[in-house]
Amino acid sequence: MTSRERIGQQVAFLAEADKLKQIIRRTPLIDLSRRENSAEHSWHLILTAMVMCEHAAADTDLVRVLEMLAVHDLIEIDAGDTFAYDFKGQTTKGARERAGADRLFGLLPDDQRARLREIWDEFEAQETHEAKFAHAVDRLQPLIQNASSGGGSWIDQNLTRDDILRRMAPIETALPSLWPFVLETIDRYCAAGVLGSTPKPF
Amino acid sequence: MTSRERIGQQVAFLAEADKLKQIIRRTPLIDLSRRENSAEHSWHLILTAMVMCEHAAADTDLVRVLEMLAVHDLIEIDAGDTFAYDFKGQTTKGARERAGADRLFGLLPDDQRARLREIWDEFEAQETHEAKFAHAVDRLQPLIQNASSGGGSWIDQNLTRDDILRRMAPIETALPSLWPFVLETIDRYCAAGVLGSTPKPF
């Protein structure tokens, strides 16, 4: 492959990535003016990781975390955003997202396809310190967002305290010093009657 | 300061950062459905830096570049986005942006305020390899975006080849192996008559 062809593949991948700006998540902006998209969400996660890295395991490789967060949602261009509390959609999520990863990272030159796919696979496996930290950040940012907007997607979905606690569990594992803040935030919303108190029917 | 107060400042900063999703730039998405905001733009720059880092100086510290790109536009929450070709707005841009940096980074605990401000100051000074690379990426992504959408904000502003070449100069310095691609792209648009050929009146 010529150098010009290689650059062409890199540019084609970056142009395709533009579509992530059109994938709409459930979480609203704090002023409730609209729902967030997955591209701006990914940026917010990167900023969150930079600010919160002191709460992560001491030997965490920050650049790996930032790269993981930059690519983790790209597959939604093909697979769509599967809402965390859509328990039916979660059963087909894996296969849809792997197909998206094949196509999207496949736009890149082979060595870069392999490298970005490895980063995405590591994120999905949730085994390394870096992947656990990245997942915790992916829970923490919507919590901050929802808590700052008076409930956000929590209210919308009539979630219970237990639903949210289960979803937030990666924070307890990877960012333990933030866990009391998470509990305090959720309990404040329960006390205010914002969150439901009975289990949902599914 | 207690640990809880420190976390409170970190969370307040991250909640305030949400507002960057409402700062609208001139560059449209590739399908021209709407204009890009500065948060999703920042994410796209981070992805561009990851894919194009092989074209940067050999000893470039990628994590520094990614952190720079994550914070570089935050000041627009207060200062607004100053369009690259708004030559009048450019004269007051520095003062407006420094005031924004004082307030926004000032929401963080002191040590983090100092660290993020240093990263932003380094970006602005354009002296280190990392800052030059970050600036080049901040030129390259709109070029890819405009070239992929049939002209984008270039047409909108009736820009000439020289206007755009001047704007793209940081790419020639920091990512020289991409410069022939940049010239080829701009020349293709000139040949198609998309770009103006006479200087603008200001």
Side-chain angles (χ1 to χ4, degrees):
Chain A
M1 196 190 333
T2 66
S3 156
R4 179 61 187 81
E5 284 166 345
R6 184 172 171 88
I7 292 169
Q9 291 185 346
Q10 293 170 328
V11 168
F13 170 79
L14 292 169
E16 184 70 11
D18 178 66
K19 294 180 180 165
L20 193 62
K21 300 167 191 167
Q22 312 226 38
I23 303 294
I24 308 299
R25 292 165 45 80
R26 295 292 178 104
T27 314
L29 301 197
I30 290 175
D31 73 354
L32 302 176
S33 57
R34 63 170 173 84
R35 282 155 61 194
E36 187 182 54
N37 72 58
S38 291
E40 62 198 2
H41 162 71
S42 297
W43 163 77
H44 211 171
L45 295 189
I46 286 166
L47 195 67
T48 303
M50 285 170 58
V51 169
M52 294 303 194
C53 60
E54 70 194 44
H55 304 285
D59 56 346
T60 302
D61 175 4
L62 184 61
V63 70
R64 188 75 174 179
V65 174
L66 301 188
E67 290 193 295
M68 239 176 239
L69 293 172
V71 304
H72 85 292
D73 270 347
L74 270 177
I75 45 81
E76 293 183 357
I77 290 172
D78 286 0
D81 175 55
T82 308
F83 184 46
Y85 302 97
D86 169 5
F87 300 110
K88 209 165 165 185
Q90 293 290 334
T91 62
T92 61
K93 186 172 179 257
R96 281 183 288 121
E97 294 193 344
R98 280 190 298 278
D102 289 346
R103 186 186 76 81
L104 286 152
F105 298 130
L107 296 171
L108 286 164
D110 271 352
D111 59 314
Q112 291 193 306
R113 175 195 53 70
R115 201 177 97 77
L116 264 58
R117 177 59 181 258
E118 187 191 290
I119 292 175
W120 184 76
D121 285 341
E122 182 181 333
F123 174 79
E124 287 296 303
Q126 299 189 48
E127 283 165 5
T128 61
H129 278 326
E130 287 73 19
K132 286 177 182 170
F133 178 32
H135 271 271
V137 163
D138 196 22
R139 303 299 190 271
L140 180 65
Q141 181 262 354
L143 176 114
I144 293 175
Q145 200 92 351
N146 282 336
S148 306
S149 70
S153 62
W154 291 338
I155 299 179
D156 191 34
Q157 300 298 311
N158 194 30
L159 298 173
T160 67
R161 181 176 190 278
D162 284 350
D163 290 330
I164 298 175
L165 276 184
R166 264 194 301 276
R167 179 72 184 160
M168 295 300 150
I171 303 178
E172 186 173 18
T173 310
L175 301 168
S177 54
L178 288 179
W179 192 240
F181 160 78
V182 171
L183 288 179
E184 172 199 320
T185 302
I186 295 173
D187 285 341
R188 195 170 58 243
Y189 278 79
C190 287
V194 168
L195 303 180
S197 55
T198 52
K200 285 182 303 158
F202 54 88
Chain B
M1 195 189 336
T2 66
S3 156
R4 180 60 188 80
E5 284 166 344
R6 183 171 172 88
I7 292 169
Q9 291 185 345
Q10 293 170 328
V11 168
F13 169 78
L14 292 169
E16 184 70 11
D18 178 65
K19 293 179 181 166
L20 193 61
K21 300 166 191 167
Q22 312 224 39
I23 302 296
I24 308 300
R25 294 166 42 80
R26 295 292 177 105
T27 314
L29 301 197
I30 290 176
D31 74 353
L32 302 176
S33 58
R34 63 171 173 83
R35 281 156 59 195
E36 190 182 53
N37 70 59
S38 291
E40 61 197 3
H41 162 71
S42 297
W43 163 78
H44 210 171
L45 295 188
I46 286 167
L47 196 67
T48 303
M50 285 171 58
V51 169
M52 295 304 194
C53 59
E54 70 194 45
H55 304 285
D59 57 345
T60 302
D61 176 3
L62 185 61
V63 70
R64 188 76 174 178
V65 174
L66 301 188
E67 289 192 296
M68 238 175 240
L69 293 171
V71 305
H72 85 292
D73 270 348
L74 270 177
I75 44 79
E76 294 182 356
I77 290 172
D78 287 359
D81 175 55
T82 308
F83 185 46
Y85 303 97
D86 169 6
F87 301 109
K88 207 164 167 186
Q90 292 290 334
T91 61
T92 60
K93 187 172 179 259
R96 282 183 287 120
E97 294 192 346
R98 280 191 297 278
D102 289 346
R103 187 187 75 82
L104 285 153
F105 298 129
L107 296 171
L108 285 165
D110 273 351
D111 59 315
Q112 292 194 305
R113 177 195 52 70
R115 201 178 98 75
L116 265 59
R117 178 60 183 257
E118 186 191 290
I119 292 175
W120 183 75
D121 285 341
E122 182 181 333
F123 174 79
E124 287 296 305
Q126 300 189 50
E127 283 166 4
T128 61
H129 278 325
E130 288 72 19
K132 287 177 182 170
F133 178 32
H135 272 271
V137 163
D138 196 23
R139 304 298 193 268
L140 180 64
Q141 181 262 353
L143 175 113
I144 294 175
Q145 200 91 352
N146 282 337
S148 306
S149 70
S153 61
W154 291 338
I155 299 179
D156 192 35
Q157 299 299 312
N158 192 29
L159 298 174
T160 66
R161 182 176 189 277
D162 284 350
D163 289 329
I164 299 176
L165 276 185
R166 263 194 301 277
R167 180 72 185 161
M168 295 299 149
I171 303 178
E172 186 173 20
T173 310
L175 301 168
S177 54
L178 289 179
W179 192 241
F181 161 79
V182 172
L183 289 178
E184 171 199 318
T185 302
I186 295 173
D187 285 340
R188 195 169 58 242
Y189 277 80
C190 287
V194 168
L195 301 181
S197 56
T198 52
K200 285 180 304 154
F202 54 90

